[in-house]
Amino acid sequence: MPHPVPSASAWVDFHQRTRYYTDTTHKDRRNTIATILYCRTSTIEQTLDHQVTQAQQAGIEIDEVIADPGSSGVSTRLIDRPQGKRLFDILRSGDVLVVRWVDRLGRNYEDVTSVIREFMTTGVTIRTVINDMTFDGGTSDPIQKAVRDAIIAFMAASAQSQAEVAKDAQTAGIQAARSNPKKYLGRKPSYDRVTFETILSLLNNEIGDSEISRQTGVSRQTVIRVKNDRAGSDALLRRWGM
């Protein structure tokens, strides 16, 4: 399902209201609290624009966008990415760090959980676009902290699990293609890579099939197929180069 490309006028308007950086030349000089959206893409099928659009459609007012295009969340830690490293330098107490989901920070459990803890310790609030989850270090109640940390741990573990499933599916797909290329192609999927990842994220957060269908624009039957065969659905996308 292709995503609409913003018009030239829309981009002009967006850049007038936000700052969009994918290089290392900018030096932070702001004196006010900011809401910063961090975007990451690891494949050509994923787009930075889509992540920005999702945040805006969720009603989040973005002051600055920082992006790492073509960066792996599995092999590259947040602090080792050009723009991810900048987050540690520019985020201040009171700032809000927005990500589409925690997998944009990374797909390694240890890295994601430690990064979120470090940001919360410095007074930064982390907010996800999907399901509008908010994490901060404001509470001192041990029960609330335990619940918060458990949710963070679950989401980070899900991100790593998805990456491992995708890797296994890719390996299986390559082997199948070599053994029978014609049969391997299969029917073209009705969803793209971004939609597939969104469906997985919503499923991991126990969102209902009908609601996922409404949010992603695919049929409920497609959601159920993805839920019942995540690896196979991922492999089908890869077979079609999606």
Side-chain angles (χ1 to χ4, degrees), residues 126-142:
I126 296 89
R127 179 178 177 183
T128 66
V129 175
I130 295 177
N131 294 334
D132 193 21
M133 302 291 290
T134 301
F135 305 106
D136 60 47
T139 182
S140 60
D141 181 86

Side-chain angles (χ1 to χ4, degrees), residues 223-241:
V223 174
I224 294 173
R225 281 198 299 270
V226 171
K227 179 171 65 175
N228 293 337
D229 188 9
R230 302 186 182 197
S233 300
D234 179 81
L236 180 60
L237 281 173
R238 295 180 185 279
R239 291 200 295 269
W240 282 89

Side-chain angles (χ1 to χ4, degrees), residues 13 15 18 41 48 71 84 92 102 111-112 132 141 151 156-157 171 174-175 182 186 188 202 224-225:
D13 177 64
H15 282 282
T18 64
T41 63
L48 300 174
S71 180
R92 302 174 179 177
V102 297
D111 183 39
V112 173
D132 193 21
D141 181 86
I151 294 174
T171 300
I174 292 173
Q175 293 174 346
K182 291 184 179 179
K188 187 174 182 179
L202 294 172
I224 294 173
R225 281 198 299 270

Side-chain angles (χ1 to χ4, degrees), residues 159-212:
Q160 180 170 332
S161 177
Q162 288 175 23
E164 292 172 351
V165 169
K167 183 178 180 180
D168 291 342
Q170 182 180 29
T171 300
I174 292 173
Q175 293 174 346
R178 289 173 177 173
S179 63
N180 192 345
K182 291 184 179 179
K183 182 178 180 181
Y184 171 66
L185 190 59
R187 183 178 179 180
K188 187 174 182 179
S190 59
Y191 50 90
D192 60 8
R193 174 61 58 181
V194 173
T195 304
F196 174 69
E197 290 192 350
T198 301
I199 292 173
L200 290 183
S201 296
L202 294 172
L203 286 171
N204 286 333
N205 284 276
E206 300 183 352
I207 305 302
D209 300 339
S210 298
E211 178 61 18
I212 294 176

